[in-house]
């Protein structure tokens, strides 16, 4: 099918991120915003440009003051004072004088003049030896981009609320915060130039059930708003101007999928038990309390990963303890007695919060992320831990820490948790003192000390998205090296086996909550390696269950033995396909 091409069509090939087919008009986002344009204007327009500049500076100041006010309310004036430096940039006489001079002397547009003046200063600051001054360069650039956005008449985020007709969104990148804003009624599908299967935007598209293709490299440059296209989220394609024949073939694929989904619905209320009676726990990954309704409806046994970061994004200030408590409580109470594993804040990497002023990093995935951020920002962390503890009184709540690299981090987090429990006890605030606390295993160092971690954890959850990224040194966001992102690499399988063995030796159960868990082709392999629970997007639970009910754990164990003794990841994958296609023929064939 990959070679299909009917006359008059144009096909762009990327990486399939979320299944489904969408047809509609394209809207290309943020094409015009990658560069600041220089426009020469008549001399007489200089006063108008100066007035526009003043208005944009005023609007930016108001915006920053508002962010600062909200931040002060929620986490105190310490953090919020960061914005003083930003506001000062707006009042910097040298920067403003230089911009006005250019407007009067060179007769250019205000965007260009301000951008050029700000870059001149930022470049000089960035070259300084002093770390403090270098950081001011990033403040300056941050503020400059806000001012330029105001001048250009849009705010800092692509505003997806202005979509009037259902469409297919094409963007260079959709950050997780932008993806979280997508409205299923308006967005039929989306496609991006960058990213891979495990970038967070791709992960979110599953939860939103929006067909998606990522890693298209140049789609946002090649495509134009208004073109008609078909997006194939099964095979990672965008077909521009599809012919009637193509539309007909895809119509058939969609009909086949509908029949299949009806068949899958039958297993929703049945347990995930293999033909030889091995019970598997299937849990759902969710991003917000609103997703709680999808969990049991799709046949999951509970929540295996609640990514709490999404409570923190698309807003001007972090959520208060009370707001978090309400969100966690709602999910716990709704799903009671089923377990809900709440993961503490994993911000950083590709999930950035504008309001927390995390400076731009050279290697964000190796940087100030997840537990590292939380252990440094104990106000934010403590508020979250208290909210989770309080919610534990309302249901079957468990909690886990992301990005643990070794024992120290786990001990520090647990020490803080113990202090907060004391505090709640003293105030007679109820919580479940026996709430299980687990460790995410997603850094190779954690696997190598898994025996120590297992002695201090009630469960493990293997985050394969990061474990693969860090073990194989393959950036999970980078489409250029997506072919090297290899879940069946023998190194990965050995790490999973080591983790399972270390955990089981201490009677600690093991879940897998990365995207690998929801890939039906890899389900038998993970079960054969001894994993107790698989956690994936709600939409993936039914096919996983359907498959498990047609498998024997004995053959899954044989497969794992074969895999652990095999050197070629390709051979391992072929054997996985054999087993799955024998157990569920045709189930995972999505060719039109
Ligand atoms: C993982 O790394 O596999 C994981 C589940 O966490 P996230 O994708 O949110 O980094
Ligand atoms: Mg992770």
């Amino acid at each position: 099918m990959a070679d299909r091409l009917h006359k008059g069509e144009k096909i762009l090939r990327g990486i399939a991120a979320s299944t489904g087919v969408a047809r509609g008009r394209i809207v290309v986002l943020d094409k015009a915003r990658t560069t600041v344009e220089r426009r020469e204007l008549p001399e007489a327009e200089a006063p108008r440009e100066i007035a526009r500049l003043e208005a944009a500076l005023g609007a930016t100041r108001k915006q920053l003051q508002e962010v600062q006010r909200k931040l002060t309310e929620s986490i105190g004036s310490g953090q919020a004072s960061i914005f003083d430096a930003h506001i000062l940039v707006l009042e910097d006489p040298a920067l403003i004088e230089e911009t006005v001079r250019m407007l009067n002397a060179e007769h250019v547009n205000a965007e260009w003049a301000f951008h050029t003046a700000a870059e001149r200063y930022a470049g000089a600051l960035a070259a300084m030896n002093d770390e403090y001054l270098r950081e001011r360069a990033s403040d300056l650039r941050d503020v400059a981009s806000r001012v330029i956005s105001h001048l250009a008449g849009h705010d800092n985020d692509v505003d997806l609320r202005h979509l009037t007709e259902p469409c297919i969104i094409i963007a260079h990148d959709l950050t997780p915060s932008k993806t979280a804003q997508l409205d299923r009624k308006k967005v039929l599908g989306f496609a991006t130039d960058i990213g891979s299967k495990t970038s967070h935007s791709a992960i979110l598209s599953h939860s939103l059930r929006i067909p998606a293709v990522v890693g298209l490299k140049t789609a946002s440059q090649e495509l134009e708003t208004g073109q008609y296209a078909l997006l194939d989220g099964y095979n990672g394609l965008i077909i521009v101007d599809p012919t009637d024949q193509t539309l007909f073939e895809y119509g058939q694929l969609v009909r086949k999928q509908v029949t299949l989904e009806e068949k899958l619905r039958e297993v929703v209320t049945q347990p995930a038990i293999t033909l030889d009676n091995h019970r598997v726990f299937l849990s759902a990954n969710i991003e917000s309390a609103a997703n709680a309704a999808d969990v049991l409806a799709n046949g999951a046994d509970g929540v295996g990963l609640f990514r709490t970061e999404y409570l923190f994004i698309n807003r001007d200030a972090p959520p208060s303890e009370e707001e978090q408590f309400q969100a966690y409580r709602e999910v716990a109470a709704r799903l009671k007695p089923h377990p809900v594993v709440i993961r503490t804040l994993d911000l950083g990497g590709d999930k950035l919060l504008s309001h927390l002023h995390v400076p731009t990093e050279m290697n964000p995935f190796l940087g100030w992320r997840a537990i590292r951020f939380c252990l440094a920002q104990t106000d934010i962390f403590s508020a979250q831990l208290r909210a989770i503890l309080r919610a534990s009184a309302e249901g079957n709540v468990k909690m886990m820490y992301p990005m643990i690299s070794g024992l120290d981090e786990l001990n520090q987090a647990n020490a803080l948790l113990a202090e907060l429990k004391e505090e709640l006890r003293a105030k007679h605030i109820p919580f479940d003192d026996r709430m299980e606390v687990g460790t995410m295993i997603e850094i190779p160092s954690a696997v190598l000390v898994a025996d120590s971690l297992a002695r201090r954890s009630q469960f493990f959850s293997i985050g394969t998205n990061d474990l693969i990224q860090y073990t194989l040194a393959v950036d999970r966001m980078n489409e250029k090296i997506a072919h090297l992102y290899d879940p069946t690499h023998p190194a990965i399988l050995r790490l999973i086996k080591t983790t399972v063995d270390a955990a089981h030796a201490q009677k600690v159960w093991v879940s897998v909550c990365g995207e690998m868990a929801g890939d039906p082709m890899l389900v038998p392999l993970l079960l054969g390696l001894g994993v107790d629970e698989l956690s994936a997007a709600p939409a993936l639970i039914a096919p996983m269950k359907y498959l498990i009910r047609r498998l024997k754990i004995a053959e899954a164990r044989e497969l794992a033995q074969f895999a652990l003794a095999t050197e070629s990841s390709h051979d391992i994958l072929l054997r996985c396909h054999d087993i799955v296609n024998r157990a569920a023929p045709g189930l995972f064939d999505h060719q039109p």
Side-chain angles (χ1 to χ4, degrees):
M1 130 94 227
D3 294 328
R4 56 160 307 126
L5 182 64
H6 294 301
K7 203 160 170 243
E9 292 179 338
K10 172 173 173 160
I11 297 195
L12 276 65
R13 294 172 203 286
I15 299 166
S18 173
T19 56
V21 173
R23 278 170 299 235
R25 297 271 160 217
I26 285 175
V27 170
V28 183
L29 298 182
D30 62 22
K31 200 179 207 169
R33 305 212 293 125
T34 45
T35 51
V36 178
E37 253 181 64
R38 181 182 200 276
R39 275 181 289 121
E40 302 221 353
L41 301 170
E43 188 175 346
E45 286 198 19
R48 202 181 67 108
E49 289 304 285
I50 293 171
R52 285 211 308 126
L53 173 69
E54 280 168 359
L57 291 170
T60 309
R61 184 179 304 110
K62 248 173 88 186
Q63 187 188 42
L64 288 173
Q65 282 166 340
E66 183 59 13
V67 172
Q68 193 174 35
R69 186 185 64 74
K70 290 194 179 150
L71 207 55
T72 308
E73 269 171 24
S74 57
I75 56 168
S77 55
Q79 284 279 339
S81 64
I82 287 161
F83 284 92
D84 289 342
H86 281 204
I87 292 169
L88 279 179
V89 170
L90 293 170
E91 289 161 5
D92 185 323
L95 175 65
I96 295 168
E97 275 163 28
E98 170 70 5
T99 310
V100 171
R101 189 200 60 73
M102 280 180 73
L103 291 174
N104 282 322
E106 297 179 27
H107 315 134
V108 286
N109 53 323
E111 289 89 339
W112 176 257
F114 190 74
H115 166 73
T116 310
E119 266 310 303
R120 209 167 279 160
Y121 283 98
L125 287 169
M128 298 284 186
N129 254 339
D130 181 312
E131 194 184 339
Y132 174 81
L133 290 178
R134 279 202 307 273
E135 274 192 22
R136 297 290 72 76
S138 83
D139 287 345
L140 184 54
R141 289 195 167 112
D142 195 347
V143 175
S145 81
R146 283 180 190 268
V147 173
I148 290 163
S149 288
H150 280 291
L151 279 167
H154 41 61
D155 64 16
N156 280 286
D157 288 319
V158 171
D159 196 346
L160 293 162
R161 288 162 302 179
H162 288 163
L163 297 171
T164 47
E165 295 295 320
C167 62
I168 296 173
I169 296 286
I170 309 284
H172 176 66
D173 180 20
L174 269 187
T175 59
S177 61
K178 285 183 203 157
T179 311
Q181 288 178 341
L182 298 181
D183 173 354
R184 274 185 62 194
K185 287 193 224 75
K186 292 282 164 52
V187 179
L188 304 169
F190 76 80
T192 57
D193 294 343
I194 69 160
S196 71
K197 264 189 198 310
T198 57
S199 47
H200 281 100
S201 305
I203 292 172
L204 268 179
S205 61
H206 273 308
S207 297
L208 295 164
R209 292 178 185 248
I210 296 179
V213 178
V214 296
L216 282 156
K217 300 194 174 96
T218 52
S220 73
Q221 297 304 315
E222 288 184 50
L223 301 180
E224 294 295 336
T225 294
Q227 283 179 308
Y228 188 80
L230 184 146
L231 181 150
D232 171 358
Y234 295 106
N235 300 293
L237 304 176
I238 297 271
I239 305 176
V240 185
D241 296 330
T243 59
D244 288 347
Q245 177 63 22
T246 297
L247 291 172
F248 171 75
E249 287 167 10
Y250 272 96
Q252 285 188 317
L253 173 64
V254 170
R255 269 193 294 281
K256 193 172 110 191
Q257 286 307 123
V258 171
T259 318
L260 194 64
E261 273 166 29
E262 274 161 19
K263 195 153 129 191
L264 292 178
R265 231 169 276 141
E266 289 165 16
V267 298
V268 162
T269 51
Q270 295 169 353
I273 296 186
T274 61
L275 293 171
D276 47 357
N277 260 331
H278 177 78
R279 175 78 159 96
V280 180
F281 289 88
L282 289 185
S283 300
N285 292 351
I286 63 169
E287 282 83 31
S288 84
N291 301 142
D294 300 335
V295 176
L296 301 181
N298 283 281
D301 297 309
V303 170
L305 165 64
F306 183 171
R307 285 187 168 95
T308 56
E309 309 73 76
Y310 292 91
L311 277 170
F312 287 67
I313 59 184
N314 287 330
R315 50 191 299 151
D316 295 334
S320 64
E321 175 188 324
E322 187 59 27
E323 186 182 338
Q324 290 186 66
F325 165 64
Q326 291 301 343
Y328 307 148
R329 190 204 60 78
E330 186 186 329
V331 181
R334 184 168 193 151
L335 297 181
K336 192 175 169 182
H338 302 279
V340 175
V341 177
I342 303 179
R343 175 177 74 184
T344 61
L345 187 60
D346 182 3
L347 121 94
D350 57 342
K351 289 173 293 194
L352 298 172
L353 312 188
S354 49
H355 55 80
L356 286 181
H357 189 71
V358 177
T360 310
E361 297 180 302
M362 295 281 272
N363 288 304
F365 277 108
L366 300 182
W368 204 38
R369 218 196 126 176
I371 197 71
R372 302 163 179 187
F373 172 87
C374 286
L375 290 174
Q377 300 283 311
T378 42
D379 288 354
I380 293 175
F381 195 29
S382 300
Q384 180 173 47
L385 294 181
R386 270 194 302 266
I388 295 173
L389 280 169
R390 287 168 57 197
S392 71
E394 312 264 346
N396 184 0
V397 172
K398 303 173 197 288
M399 183 184 88
M400 65 184 181
Y401 305 119
M403 291 279 294
I404 294 288
S405 65
L407 203 51
D408 280 354
E409 285 157 339
L410 179 61
N411 287 342
Q412 277 180 59
N414 276 337
L416 181 61
L417 185 69
E419 261 176 47
L420 295 170
K421 281 185 173 183
E422 275 312 315
E423 205 184 277
L424 292 184
R425 239 189 303 271
K427 292 183 182 158
H428 305 290
I429 296 175
F431 66 93
D432 175 7
D433 198 20
R434 288 177 313 167
M435 175 181 76
E436 289 188 17
V437 179
T439 299
M440 281 197 75
I441 304 292
E442 46 186 352
I443 302 184
S445 59
V447 177
L448 297 175
V449 296
D451 51 346
S452 307
L453 297 172
R455 280 193 281 277
R456 284 127 180 128
S457 306
Q458 268 104 33
F459 65 93
F460 279 168
S461 189
I462 305 179
T464 47
N465 301 339
D466 279 315
L467 186 63
I468 297 170
Q469 145 164 278
Y470 296 130
T471 305
L472 304 181
V474 176
D475 179 349
R476 62 193 267 193
M477 291 290 292
N478 189 336
E479 69 286 351
K480 291 192 196 69
I481 47 171
H483 60 287
L484 298 175
Y485 191 94
D486 182 4
T488 53
H489 191 297
I492 302 301
L493 304 184
R494 290 178 200 181
L495 289 176
I496 294 174
K497 179 74 166 70
T498 304
T499 305
V500 169
D501 288 349
H504 286 177
Q506 308 286 336
K507 302 211 170 356
V508 162
W509 53 276
V510 183
S511 176
V512 173
C513 64
E515 295 308 285
M516 195 174 168
D519 181 344
M521 290 299 162
L522 304 177
V523 163
L525 182 57
L526 290 174
L527 298 182
L529 288 168
V531 166
D532 304 294
E533 175 185 341
L534 300 172
S535 193
L540 303 174
I541 299 294
M544 290 161 72
K545 198 188 272 189
Y546 183 91
L547 173 64
I548 289 168
R549 292 176 58 82
R550 274 155 188 78
L551 283 176
K552 286 196 176 135
I553 191 69
E555 65 180 339
R557 288 184 183 138
E558 260 173 43
L559 168 68
Q561 259 176 15
F562 164 82
L564 290 169
T566 299
E567 291 173 344
S568 150
S569 113
H570 181 69
D571 291 351
I572 297 170
L573 192 58
L574 281 182
R575 184 70 77 97
C576 293
H577 281 243
D578 273 357
I579 291 195
V580 171
N581 290 333
R582 226 178 318 123
L587 187 68
F588 304 109
D589 172 17
H590 305 300
Q591 300 301 319

